[in-house]
Amino acid sequence: MVMQKIDISFKRIQQLALPAIVAGIAEPILSSTDAAVVGNISEFGTESLAAVGIVGSFLSTIIWVLAQTRSAISAIISQNLGAGNLKSLKFFPAQAILFNVLLSFILLFSTYFFIEEIFIFLKADGKILTYSKDYYYIRIWGFPLTLFTFAIFGIFRGLQNTFWPMIIASFGAIINIVLDIILVYGVDNFIDPMGVKGAAWASLIAQLIMAILSLSLLLYKTNVSLRLKRALHPELKRLVTMSFNLFIRSIALNIALLLAVREATSLGKEYIAAHTIAINLWLFSAFFIDGYGAAGNILGGRLLGAKMYQELWTLTKRVNIYNLIVSLLLVTVGVLFYNHLGLIFTKDTLVLTTFYSIFFIVLISQPFNALGFTLDAIFKGLGEMKYLRNILVAATFFGFIPTLLIGNYLDLKLKGIWVALVVWIAFRAIALIYKFKVKYYPLAKSELVNHK
């Protein structure tokens, strides 16, 4: 059988990465828009911003614990595509989507009835606690919709298509922005201002529209069948195994993020508000960087399925270089607009002063983000979920938490939290570089020798 050539040129990588960048930054825009709009409410804006920060971090936790199944679905489909076995996956997509949605409802109801205790654990009290519950009890119902959409995104990515996810995510972000402004601030003589509840409704409606659009495009723009078959597809077992490892990985990841929120909240409302601004900008840049990671993920899985290790090595070097360039551009933008970005979220002088005191650390993290997130995405495409799990657990418990404790001891306040986050990311980046060089470079070298 003649091996089909897989294009990993600069042009092909851009074709996959650029739509993935747009789709990626659209996701944190949902939370960032909520934060920016409610942070500028004239009455209790700081409390509203803090509440959205707390709930946003918690929802990101439970979403990303299960959204990792998107990567598992994408890896399985892309590897089968590379190996020429795509027809064997006929009943897999429908079962994968159902698996994702059922998991979302299990996790939703496991937290729904204990949410006040969870927010109290995160140090929310008074108006911040009240606003947090108001926001959560509406927005949580978008959770299954998001997981449904992400499962379909995984199918598109496995089929080497990042264009439709870009369209869906962009449309959802635009809807969210428009509804945020209308529902939070109200419209004279037509809609009363709804505050944080309005922000929650805006996100929920946007998520519903994205789910409907995802389903429509999958049915009308692909040959994927959503017929359910009672017999479980053989690849479903691998999906469950991959998802379980990513589930543990995501718990470790979100332990770090939630501990950061808890520590920031305990310092006072100005600190959690400043941390909310910083984490939203950090997530925005992270998803921006993740675009090239997505290209590496999609093409890497296909190259592995085709056993084209030399091309896999070349691809990995290219996307890492591209993302390092992107990270330096993000740092440059951050430096140029250092005193302006915070104003998007709030006009509170104390919150802004606190934010500006740590924003430089957010910028320092960008090159580490580039390497860590790119290799993380590639490893997902290669199906290396077990190793990703182990590294994240180690980075959290041997990198982030000890550094956080040292920061507390030295009374570094918010700076200590962000230094811990940088250590956490750098730990992951170094470990992934080492693993790739040890495991995949010898395979590429061996293939090159054999071809000679």
Side-chain angles (χ1 to χ4, degrees):
M1 183 179 71
V2 178
M3 184 65 68
Q4 183 182 4
K5 181 174 174 60
I6 298 174
D7 187 3
I8 59 168
S9 65
F10 175 81
K11 180 180 179 181
R12 179 56 179 156
I13 291 172
Q14 306 313 309
Q15 286 174 341
L16 291 171
L18 296 180
I21 288 172
V22 176
I25 62 177
E27 171 57 28
I29 280 176
L30 291 176
S31 293
S32 296
T33 301
D34 288 356
V37 172
V38 303
N40 284 287
I41 294 173
S42 58
E43 188 176 10
F44 303 116
T46 299
E47 288 83 357
S48 299
L49 176 58
V52 169
I54 293 169
V55 180
S57 296
F58 176 73
L59 289 179
S60 294
T61 299
I62 60 175
I63 286 171
W64 287 105
V65 163
L66 294 185
Q68 298 303 315
T69 53
R70 174 183 64 178
S71 298
I73 293 169
S74 175
I76 290 169
I77 293 176
S78 62
Q79 287 174 25
N80 277 275
L81 178 64
N85 298 328
L86 196 58
K87 287 185 179 180
S88 68
L89 293 179
K90 187 175 181 181
F91 298 104
F92 173 73
Q95 293 183 357
I97 292 172
L98 181 61
F99 170 73
N100 228 31
V101 173
L102 288 176
L103 277 179
S104 73
F105 277 107
I106 291 170
L107 197 55
L108 187 158
F109 287 113
S110 69
T111 60
Y112 186 86
F113 299 103
F114 310 100
I115 198 61
E116 183 169 352
E117 289 78 9
I118 292 170
F119 290 155
I120 290 172
F121 172 76
L122 294 174
K123 302 294 186 180
D125 58 13
K127 281 196 175 296
I128 294 176
L129 178 59
T130 300
Y131 288 157
S132 294
K133 291 191 292 182
D134 288 344
Y135 185 69
Y136 169 86
Y137 281 125
I138 298 168
R139 195 176 161 189
I140 187 59
W141 297 106
F143 180 49
L145 298 170
T146 299
L147 268 293
F148 175 84
T149 302
F150 279 5
I152 293 178
F153 280 12
I155 295 171
F156 277 125
R157 282 192 175 192
L159 295 172
Q160 317 290 283
N161 184 326
T162 56
F163 178 76
W164 291 123
M166 175 191 71
I167 297 299
I168 296 162
S170 300
F171 191 71
I174 292 169
I175 291 292
N176 190 71
I177 292 170
V178 172
L179 289 178
D180 255 332
I181 295 170
I182 293 173
L183 299 179
V184 172
Y185 300 140
V187 178
D188 287 343
N189 303 317
F190 186 61
I191 298 175
D192 292 332
M194 298 173 67
V196 292
K197 288 184 179 180
W201 277 112
S203 292
L204 177 58
I205 294 168
Q207 287 163 328
L208 175 61
I209 292 172
M210 288 171 66
I212 294 171
L213 188 56
S214 298
L215 179 61
S216 302
L217 289 172
L218 185 68
L219 291 175
Y220 293 107
K221 295 295 182 179
T222 74
N223 294 320
V224 172
S225 171
L226 291 183
R227 284 181 56 200
L228 276 170
K229 190 175 181 181
R230 184 172 296 179
L232 296 180
H233 193 282
E235 286 284 23
L236 197 66
K237 181 179 178 181
R238 191 153 71 108
L239 174 63
V240 172
T241 301
M242 285 184 176
S243 298
F244 176 75
N245 284 323
L246 289 174
F247 180 86
I248 300 300
R249 170 189 175 276
S250 295
I251 289 175
L253 183 152
N254 286 293
I255 283 173
L257 294 179
L258 285 177
L259 281 176
V261 170
R262 185 175 187 269
E263 290 300 312
T265 306
S266 68
L267 293 170
K269 67 180 184 181
E270 290 80 15
Y271 287 93
I272 182 55
H275 180 73
T276 297
I277 297 171
I279 204 70
N280 273 284
L281 291 173
W282 183 83
L283 286 171
F284 180 86
S285 65
F287 280 94
F288 202 102
I289 286 170
D290 195 48
Y292 282 100
N297 171 286
I298 292 165
L299 292 171
R302 190 176 179 187
L303 290 168
L304 180 67
K307 298 182 179 179
M308 300 170 70
Y309 303 115
Q310 181 61 37
E311 286 83 353
L312 177 60
W313 177 253
T314 302
L315 170 74
T316 302
K317 288 190 293 184
R318 286 178 182 173
V319 291
N320 273 284
I321 290 170
Y322 298 157
N323 251 349
L324 280 171
I325 293 171
V326 170
S327 72
L328 293 177
L329 290 174
L330 289 169
V331 171
T332 302
V333 171
V335 170
L336 291 175
F337 297 96
Y338 199 95
N339 293 318
H340 299 86
L341 291 172
L343 292 169
I344 297 172
F345 296 86
T346 185
K347 303 298 186 292
D348 188 302
T349 304
L350 189 54
V351 173
L352 288 172
T353 301
T354 307
F355 164 69
Y356 294 139
S357 72
I358 54 95
F359 185 43
F360 73 95
I361 306 177
V362 179
L363 299 180
I364 289 171
S365 74
Q366 296 307 314
F368 296 111
N369 288 352
L371 294 171
F373 297 162
T374 305
L375 286 166
D376 189 272
I378 291 172
F379 269 66
K380 287 176 185 173
L382 301 178
E384 292 274 4
M385 313 310 188
K386 184 177 179 180
Y387 185 74
L388 290 173
R389 177 200 70 191
N390 293 342
I391 289 305
L392 216 298
V393 170
T396 298
F397 290 98
F398 301 115
F400 176 80
I401 292 177
T403 308
L404 185 67
L405 293 173
I406 292 170
N408 282 346
Y409 178 77
L410 297 174
D411 197 28
L412 296 179
K413 294 186 169 57
L414 210 53
K415 286 190 179 73
I417 295 171
W418 276 91
V419 168
L421 286 169
V422 172
V423 169
W424 180 61
I425 299 160
F427 188 113
R428 294 162 58 191
I430 293 168
L432 291 172
I433 290 169
Y434 173 78
K435 175 70 172 182
F436 197 92
K437 190 170 183 180
V438 168
K439 182 171 182 178
Y440 292 98
Y441 178 67
L443 291 172
K445 197 172 181 181
S446 175
E447 183 186 8
L448 187 62
V449 170
N450 289 337
H451 283 173
K452 287 183 179 180

